[in-house]
Amino acid sequence: MPTYKLCYFDIRGLAEISRFMFKVAKVDFEDCRFSFAFGTPGDFSTIIRPEFDAAKASGELATSLGKVPYLEVDGTKIGQSKA
């Protein structure tokens, strides 16, 4: 049985449909969420996301071109694509 890990910010957004599909299908997965907050409410230039920034700086997000969401299947990362 494959193992799944879905990583995105701790908000509804691009990964919400995938989370919903995992739950409806009753498929176990790790729901990895990066914290996300505003320094000044509504001011996007003050976004605080320490875990995401650390993962990006360490190269953990290189496979997904530094973006989220990404799905990890048995250790292989799959980034989003418009293809």
Side-chain angles (χ1 to χ4, degrees):
M1 186 79 169
T3 58
Y4 300 101
K5 177 179 178 182
L6 180 63
C7 292
Y8 192 58
F9 295 109
D10 191 15
I11 59 172
R12 290 186 193 177
L14 298 174
E16 196 66 18
I17 292 173
S18 299
R19 290 176 183 142
F20 181 72
M21 291 175 64
F22 276 122
K23 295 287 186 178
V24 168
K26 297 180 181 169
V27 174
D28 289 331
F29 74 104
E30 181 182 344
D31 191 2
C32 168
R33 296 182 184 224
F34 295 111
S35 66
F36 181 90
F38 286 98
T40 303
D43 184 356
F44 285 91
S45 68
T46 64
I47 291 176
I48 301 166
R49 50 186 197 181
E51 294 93 357
F52 173 80
D53 292 336
K56 190 171 184 176
S58 72
E60 182 181 332
L61 303 177
T63 304
S64 62
L65 302 175
K67 300 180 185 217
V68 289
Y70 73 85
L71 177 66
E72 191 172 314
V73 182
D74 290 334
T76 301
K77 293 180 183 173
I78 304 166
Q80 67 177 350
S81 170
K82 291 185 180 180

